Amino acid sequence: MGYLATQRPYNVAFFAILMRVIYALIFTLLPGALFAQPSGVPNPPPIAAKAFVLTDFNSAQMLVSQNPNQRIEPASLTKLMTAYLTFSALKQKTLKPDQVVPVSTRAWKSEGSRMFIEPTKPVVVEDLIKGMIVQSGNDACVALAEAIAGTEEVFAQMMNREAQRLGMKNTNFMNSTGLPHPQHYTTAYDLSLLANAIIRDFPEYYPYYSLKEYRYNNITQSNRNRLLWVDPTVDGMKTGYTDNAGYCLITSARRGPRRLVSVVLGTNSESLRATESQKLVNYGFQFYDTVRLYEKGQAVSTVRVWKGSANTVKAGFPRDLFLSVPKGVSDKLKASVETQQPLLAPIAAGQQVGVLRVELDGKPYGEFPVVALEEAPLAGIFGRGWDSLRLLFK
């Protein structure tokens, strides 16, 4: 169901100024700055970690955080980007699950956690994926990187290019494994973007993260994510540890239609990263709701168009629009649409034509771009001329 949106036009100059201000806020303030912090929500429990972020998958809102943009060493959480590029290669069919991958000496001799691949034993891509995700095998990561990019160095360049595309502005990768390097870093917020992107972009491969154990080369290793055994609603994602990074865990849990993703970095023990993550996820489910404001393609407004073959164009959102709010207050949400006027044809489908402003209990709560749901081609010469005359007198 959608929420009633009132419509207010504004002129081109004001629209341009407004957009510049919004873009400035997005790129200079903390992520999520266009969402107001709701009042009346209890503070989260104390989390014994250097940094953490809790996000709602559907709304993409950051519900609570501590040091979200502090640079940290990602350790094996790096493997999420290695997996992202691997899943992308599978989707683009440049890599196949049953494809045999040669094991280089470099991959075989990788330091740290391993799945124990060998140069003389054939291994297929799907085995490497399970070894990377379940066993956190550094050897599996290097083998996949070489299969996709030729060398791990070129693969690291691909990782950084993908990170920038995903909006991970405070991240730099030097390898596919997460082994320490002075220029290998990220943030809790950037890792949250990456984790959510895997779930969103590759739902067909995400179930790998729920595997509790994997056996390869006659060696069975368990997934180090303890919450897979403790909480049946947890279905991923990844652990990490180095001396500098501490014990880290990214958790994804689904309860009913809602999914929350937590990033907890720099705890003091393997058990603590699990308990602190559980506390954070429980807090989000207990004190927040996720509300679908509008469905994909639902018209929230009809906007006047000048010099077009049609006089109006329907406006809405290219995907379902969700909003996270404190429990029990969704009936206090109100929305209004401010549209660019005069809006001149031609208008392309997907072109931004306004802004949806959402208030919660009378206070500003969020802003979202509204786009044209259909195109509006130019009118003929007489139609354009008539509208030009009418605009002179507006």
Side-chain angles (χ1 to χ4, degrees):
M1 88 180 255
Y3 284 70
L4 179 62
T6 58
Q7 179 177 333
R8 296 198 297 269
Y10 49 81
N11 61 35
V12 175
F14 177 77
F15 184 81
I17 294 171
L18 176 66
M19 288 298 99
R20 285 198 294 269
V21 171
I22 289 175
Y23 293 147
L25 284 170
I26 291 173
F27 288 109
T28 60
L29 299 182
L30 286 177
L34 294 183
F35 293 99
Q37 184 65 29
S39 58
V41 181
N43 291 329
I47 304 297
K50 294 178 182 177
F52 63 81
V53 165
L54 177 67
T55 56
D56 185 302
F57 173 73
N58 286 324
S59 70
Q61 278 178 252
M62 186 164 60
L63 304 183
V64 65
S65 67
Q66 174 180 290
N67 301 324
N69 293 312
Q70 177 180 314
R71 284 187 178 181
I72 55 92
E73 184 179 300
S76 284
L77 302 181
T78 298
K79 296 179 173 77
L80 290 177
M81 181 57 84
T82 304
Y84 190 95
L85 289 176
T86 300
F87 297 155
S88 180
L90 289 171
K91 202 166 191 175
Q92 296 169 11
K93 301 189 183 304
T94 58
L95 203 64
K96 297 180 179 179
D98 59 354
Q99 179 178 327
V100 176
V101 176
V103 178
S104 68
T105 301
R106 177 172 178 169
W108 175 48
K109 292 186 175 181
S110 295
E111 300 176 2
S113 55
R114 292 182 291 161
M115 69 176 288
F116 299 104
I117 53 178
E118 301 173 3
T120 58
K121 186 174 182 179
V123 60
V124 298
V125 167
E126 187 167 24
D127 287 335
L128 292 172
I129 291 173
K130 293 176 180 177
M132 169 180 61
I133 290 175
V134 182
Q135 301 173 328
S136 201
N138 291 339
D139 49 357
C141 291
V142 174
L144 285 168
E146 292 174 344
I148 293 170
T151 67
E152 191 178 15
E153 288 76 16
V154 174
F155 188 78
Q157 296 174 24
M158 295 174 62
M159 295 170 76
N160 289 321
R161 186 163 59 247
E162 197 63 32
Q164 290 302 304
R165 189 188 68 82
L166 292 172
M168 301 170 66
K169 299 184 182 302
N170 293 304
T171 293
N172 190 67
F173 294 114
M174 296 300 295
N175 57 61
S176 64
T177 61
L179 289 173
H181 187 285
Q183 295 303 314
H184 193 91
Y185 57 82
T186 187
T187 67
Y189 175 72
D190 282 4
L191 287 170
S192 177
L193 290 177
L194 177 56
N196 280 278
I198 288 176
I199 301 169
R200 179 190 67 239
D201 297 343
F202 305 109
E204 67 272 38
Y205 302 124
Y206 175 68
Y208 282 122
Y209 287 96
S210 65
L211 296 176
K212 293 182 178 179
E213 64 177 24
Y214 181 58
R215 183 175 181 83
Y216 181 80
N217 207 3
N218 296 318
I219 302 171
T220 301
Q221 296 187 63
S222 296
N223 195 315
R224 296 175 178 84
N225 183 357
R226 291 189 178 186
L227 293 183
L228 290 174
W229 282 267
V230 174
D231 185 342
T233 69
V234 171
D235 55 12
M237 288 193 60
K238 190 70 188 74
T239 63
Y241 170 78
T242 63
D243 288 341
N244 288 334
Y247 292 86
C248 308
L249 176 60
I250 296 179
T251 303
S252 178
R254 182 172 184 174
R255 299 180 187 176
R258 301 182 62 205
R259 179 181 291 280
L260 299 182
V261 178
S262 69
V263 178
V264 174
L265 307 177
T267 68
N268 291 330
S269 69
E270 187 174 343
S271 61
L272 195 60
R273 71 184 174 191
T275 57
E276 300 308 276
S277 297
Q278 183 79 81
K279 284 160 59 176
L280 198 56
V281 168
N282 285 343
Y283 167 81
F285 281 119
Q286 183 174 357
F287 293 107
Y288 284 88
D289 277 329
T290 306
V291 179
R292 184 167 66 180
L293 293 180
Y294 299 101
E295 295 181 0
K296 174 184 177 181
Q298 177 186 350
V300 303
S301 180
T302 300
V303 184
R304 178 70 167 93
V305 177
W306 300 88
K307 302 185 181 182
S309 58
N311 292 328
T312 60
V313 65
K314 293 179 180 178
F317 301 95
R319 60 186 62 86
D320 287 354
L321 178 63
F322 291 91
L323 194 63
S324 299
V325 296
K327 275 193 181 295
V329 301
S330 60
D331 59 332
K332 297 180 180 179
L333 287 170
K334 290 185 179 180
S336 62
V337 177
E338 294 186 354
T339 60
Q340 175 186 357
Q341 287 297 332
L343 185 63
L344 304 178
I347 304 297
Q351 177 180 330
Q352 183 169 346
V353 295
V355 176
L356 179 80
R357 298 185 185 279
V358 179
E359 292 184 350
L360 177 61
D361 201 16
K363 298 178 181 178
Y365 191 63
E367 297 179 359
F368 308 89
V370 175
V371 302
L373 298 176
E374 55 193 350
E375 64 177 11
L378 273 173
I381 186 170
F382 294 108
R384 296 198 306 272
W386 175 245
D387 276 357
S388 294
L389 286 173
R390 296 176 67 190
L391 285 170
L392 288 175
F393 295 98
K394 280 186 66 67

PDB file of all heavy atoms in Angstrom, residues 362-378:
ATOM      1  N   GLY A 362       5.178  14.950  12.116  1.00  0.00           N
ATOM      2  CA  GLY A 362       5.328  16.380  11.863  1.00  0.00           C
ATOM      3  C   GLY A 362       6.749  16.864  11.706  1.00  0.00           C
ATOM      4  O   GLY A 362       6.978  18.052  11.462  1.00  0.00           O
ATOM      5  N   LYS A 363       7.746  15.977  11.797  1.00  0.00           N
ATOM      6  CA  LYS A 363       9.150  16.370  11.680  1.00  0.00           C
ATOM      7  C   LYS A 363       9.766  15.731  10.438  1.00  0.00           C
ATOM      8  O   LYS A 363       9.444  14.595  10.100  1.00  0.00           O
ATOM      9  CB  LYS A 363       9.929  15.944  12.933  1.00  0.00           C
ATOM     10  CG  LYS A 363       9.433  16.588  14.223  1.00  0.00           C
ATOM     11  CD  LYS A 363      10.223  16.080  15.417  1.00  0.00           C
ATOM     12  CE  LYS A 363       9.709  16.704  16.717  1.00  0.00           C
ATOM     13  NZ  LYS A 363      10.439  16.176  17.894  1.00  0.00           N
ATOM     14  N   PRO A 364      10.659  16.452   9.726  1.00  0.00           N
ATOM     15  CA  PRO A 364      11.308  15.887   8.532  1.00  0.00           C
ATOM     16  C   PRO A 364      12.008  14.569   8.862  1.00  0.00           C
ATOM     17  O   PRO A 364      12.707  14.461   9.881  1.00  0.00           O
ATOM     18  CB  PRO A 364      12.314  16.969   8.133  1.00  0.00           C
ATOM     19  CG  PRO A 364      11.767  18.236   8.713  1.00  0.00           C
ATOM     20  CD  PRO A 364      11.101  17.847  10.001  1.00  0.00           C
ATOM     21  N   TYR A 365      11.819  13.570   7.995  1.00  0.00           N
ATOM     22  CA  TYR A 365      12.397  12.256   8.283  1.00  0.00           C
ATOM     23  C   TYR A 365      13.232  11.698   7.130  1.00  0.00           C
ATOM     24  O   TYR A 365      14.191  10.975   7.350  1.00  0.00           O
ATOM     25  CB  TYR A 365      11.284  11.264   8.628  1.00  0.00           C
ATOM     26  CG  TYR A 365      11.784   9.967   9.198  1.00  0.00           C
ATOM     27  CD1 TYR A 365      12.464   9.933  10.412  1.00  0.00           C
ATOM     28  CD2 TYR A 365      11.595   8.759   8.526  1.00  0.00           C
ATOM     29  CE1 TYR A 365      12.932   8.752  10.947  1.00  0.00           C
ATOM     30  CE2 TYR A 365      12.062   7.559   9.052  1.00  0.00           C
ATOM     31  CZ  TYR A 365      12.723   7.564  10.264  1.00  0.00           C
ATOM     32  OH  TYR A 365      13.193   6.388  10.792  1.00  0.00           O
ATOM     33  N   GLY A 366      12.858  12.014   5.880  1.00  0.00           N
ATOM     34  CA  GLY A 366      13.625  11.499   4.757  1.00  0.00           C
ATOM     35  C   GLY A 366      13.256  12.177   3.455  1.00  0.00           C
ATOM     36  O   GLY A 366      12.189  12.785   3.332  1.00  0.00           O
ATOM     37  N   GLU A 367      14.166  12.102   2.482  1.00  0.00           N
ATOM     38  CA  GLU A 367      13.947  12.669   1.151  1.00  0.00           C
ATOM     39  C   GLU A 367      14.368  11.651   0.099  1.00  0.00           C
ATOM     40  O   GLU A 367      15.382  10.983   0.246  1.00  0.00           O
ATOM     41  CB  GLU A 367      14.745  13.956   0.966  1.00  0.00           C
ATOM     42  CG  GLU A 367      14.341  15.080   1.898  1.00  0.00           C
ATOM     43  CD  GLU A 367      15.179  16.332   1.678  1.00  0.00           C
ATOM     44  OE1 GLU A 367      16.082  16.285   0.809  1.00  0.00           O
ATOM     45  OE2 GLU A 367      14.937  17.326   2.366  1.00  0.00           O
ATOM     46  N   PHE A 368      13.580  11.541  -0.982  1.00  0.00           N
ATOM     47  CA  PHE A 368      13.829  10.544  -2.015  1.00  0.00           C
ATOM     48  C   PHE A 368      13.548  11.146  -3.389  1.00  0.00           C
ATOM     49  O   PHE A 368      12.549  11.853  -3.566  1.00  0.00           O
ATOM     50  CB  PHE A 368      12.924   9.326  -1.815  1.00  0.00           C
ATOM     51  CG  PHE A 368      12.981   8.745  -0.441  1.00  0.00           C
ATOM     52  CD1 PHE A 368      12.121   9.205   0.549  1.00  0.00           C
ATOM     53  CD2 PHE A 368      13.891   7.761  -0.115  1.00  0.00           C
ATOM     54  CE1 PHE A 368      12.166   8.689   1.832  1.00  0.00           C
ATOM     55  CE2 PHE A 368      13.937   7.237   1.165  1.00  0.00           C
ATOM     56  CZ  PHE A 368      13.073   7.701   2.138  1.00  0.00           C
ATOM     57  N   PRO A 369      14.417  10.892  -4.371  1.00  0.00           N
ATOM     58  CA  PRO A 369      14.155  11.384  -5.724  1.00  0.00           C
ATOM     59  C   PRO A 369      12.962  10.681  -6.360  1.00  0.00           C
ATOM     60  O   PRO A 369      12.800   9.461  -6.229  1.00  0.00           O
ATOM     61  CB  PRO A 369      15.456  11.076  -6.477  1.00  0.00           C
ATOM     62  CG  PRO A 369      16.074   9.960  -5.719  1.00  0.00           C
ATOM     63  CD  PRO A 369      15.690  10.159  -4.286  1.00  0.00           C
ATOM     64  N   VAL A 370      12.104  11.449  -7.035  1.00  0.00           N
ATOM     65  CA  VAL A 370      10.945  10.921  -7.750  1.00  0.00           C
ATOM     66  C   VAL A 370      11.250  11.000  -9.242  1.00  0.00           C
ATOM     67  O   VAL A 370      11.723  12.030  -9.733  1.00  0.00           O
ATOM     68  CB  VAL A 370       9.674  11.734  -7.415  1.00  0.00           C
ATOM     69  CG1 VAL A 370       8.493  11.256  -8.248  1.00  0.00           C
ATOM     70  CG2 VAL A 370       9.357  11.635  -5.931  1.00  0.00           C
ATOM     71  N   VAL A 371      10.955   9.915  -9.973  1.00  0.00           N
ATOM     72  CA  VAL A 371      11.313   9.865 -11.392  1.00  0.00           C
ATOM     73  C   VAL A 371      10.061   9.677 -12.243  1.00  0.00           C
ATOM     74  O   VAL A 371       9.015   9.226 -11.765  1.00  0.00           O
ATOM     75  CB  VAL A 371      12.306   8.723 -11.681  1.00  0.00           C
ATOM     76  CG1 VAL A 371      13.565   8.881 -10.844  1.00  0.00           C
ATOM     77  CG2 VAL A 371      11.668   7.356 -11.444  1.00  0.00           C
ATOM     78  N   ALA A 372      10.184  10.044 -13.516  1.00  0.00           N
ATOM     79  CA  ALA A 372       9.090   9.823 -14.471  1.00  0.00           C
ATOM     80  C   ALA A 372       8.948   8.329 -14.731  1.00  0.00           C
ATOM     81  O   ALA A 372       9.943   7.633 -14.957  1.00  0.00           O
ATOM     82  CB  ALA A 372       9.368  10.555 -15.771  1.00  0.00           C
ATOM     83  N   LEU A 373       7.716   7.834 -14.675  1.00  0.00           N
ATOM     84  CA  LEU A 373       7.455   6.424 -14.925  1.00  0.00           C
ATOM     85  C   LEU A 373       7.186   6.130 -16.399  1.00  0.00           C
ATOM     86  O   LEU A 373       7.052   4.967 -16.785  1.00  0.00           O
ATOM     87  CB  LEU A 373       6.255   5.961 -14.086  1.00  0.00           C
ATOM     88  CG  LEU A 373       6.428   6.052 -12.568  1.00  0.00           C
ATOM     89  CD1 LEU A 373       5.142   5.657 -11.872  1.00  0.00           C
ATOM     90  CD2 LEU A 373       7.583   5.171 -12.094  1.00  0.00           C
ATOM     91  N   GLU A 374       7.123   7.179 -17.190  1.00  0.00           N
ATOM     92  CA  GLU A 374       6.867   7.032 -18.626  1.00  0.00           C
ATOM     93  C   GLU A 374       7.536   8.192 -19.348  1.00  0.00           C
ATOM     94  O   GLU A 374       7.902   9.196 -18.728  1.00  0.00           O
ATOM     95  CB  GLU A 374       5.356   7.038 -18.891  1.00  0.00           C
ATOM     96  CG  GLU A 374       4.657   8.272 -18.319  1.00  0.00           C
ATOM     97  CD  GLU A 374       3.147   8.139 -18.298  1.00  0.00           C
ATOM     98  OE1 GLU A 374       2.630   7.193 -18.895  1.00  0.00           O
ATOM     99  OE2 GLU A 374       2.500   9.003 -17.677  1.00  0.00           O
ATOM    100  N   GLU A 375       7.722   8.036 -20.640  1.00  0.00           N
ATOM    101  CA  GLU A 375       8.345   9.115 -21.399  1.00  0.00           C
ATOM    102  C   GLU A 375       7.282  10.098 -21.877  1.00  0.00           C
ATOM    103  O   GLU A 375       6.096   9.765 -22.001  1.00  0.00           O
ATOM    104  CB  GLU A 375       9.119   8.559 -22.587  1.00  0.00           C
ATOM    105  CG  GLU A 375       8.263   7.862 -23.621  1.00  0.00           C
ATOM    106  CD  GLU A 375       9.077   7.384 -24.812  1.00  0.00           C
ATOM    107  OE1 GLU A 375      10.316   7.404 -24.731  1.00  0.00           O
ATOM    108  OE2 GLU A 375       8.459   7.011 -25.827  1.00  0.00           O
ATOM    109  N   ALA A 376       7.731  11.317 -22.129  1.00  0.00           N
ATOM    110  CA  ALA A 376       6.856  12.356 -22.677  1.00  0.00           C
ATOM    111  C   ALA A 376       7.602  13.000 -23.841  1.00  0.00           C
ATOM    112  O   ALA A 376       8.421  13.905 -23.638  1.00  0.00           O
ATOM    113  CB  ALA A 376       6.505  13.382 -21.609  1.00  0.00           C
ATOM    114  N   PRO A 377       7.353  12.547 -25.065  1.00  0.00           N
ATOM    115  CA  PRO A 377       8.053  13.096 -26.236  1.00  0.00           C
ATOM    116  C   PRO A 377       7.634  14.543 -26.500  1.00  0.00           C
ATOM    117  O   PRO A 377       6.630  15.031 -25.983  1.00  0.00           O
ATOM    118  CB  PRO A 377       7.616  12.178 -27.385  1.00  0.00           C
ATOM    119  CG  PRO A 377       7.010  10.977 -26.723  1.00  0.00           C
ATOM    120  CD  PRO A 377       6.458  11.444 -25.424  1.00  0.00           C
ATOM    121  N   LEU A 378       8.426  15.206 -27.316  1.00  0.00           N
ATOM    122  CA  LEU A 378       8.093  16.564 -27.727  1.00  0.00           C
ATOM    123  C   LEU A 378       6.792  16.585 -28.529  1.00  0.00           C
ATOM    124  O   LEU A 378       6.504  15.678 -29.307  1.00  0.00           O
ATOM    125  CB  LEU A 378       9.213  17.139 -28.600  1.00  0.00           C
ATOM    126  CG  LEU A 378      10.386  17.826 -27.902  1.00  0.00           C
ATOM    127  CD1 LEU A 378      11.448  18.160 -28.928  1.00  0.00           C
ATOM    128  CD2 LEU A 378       9.941  19.074 -27.153  1.00  0.00           C
TER     129      LEU A 378
END
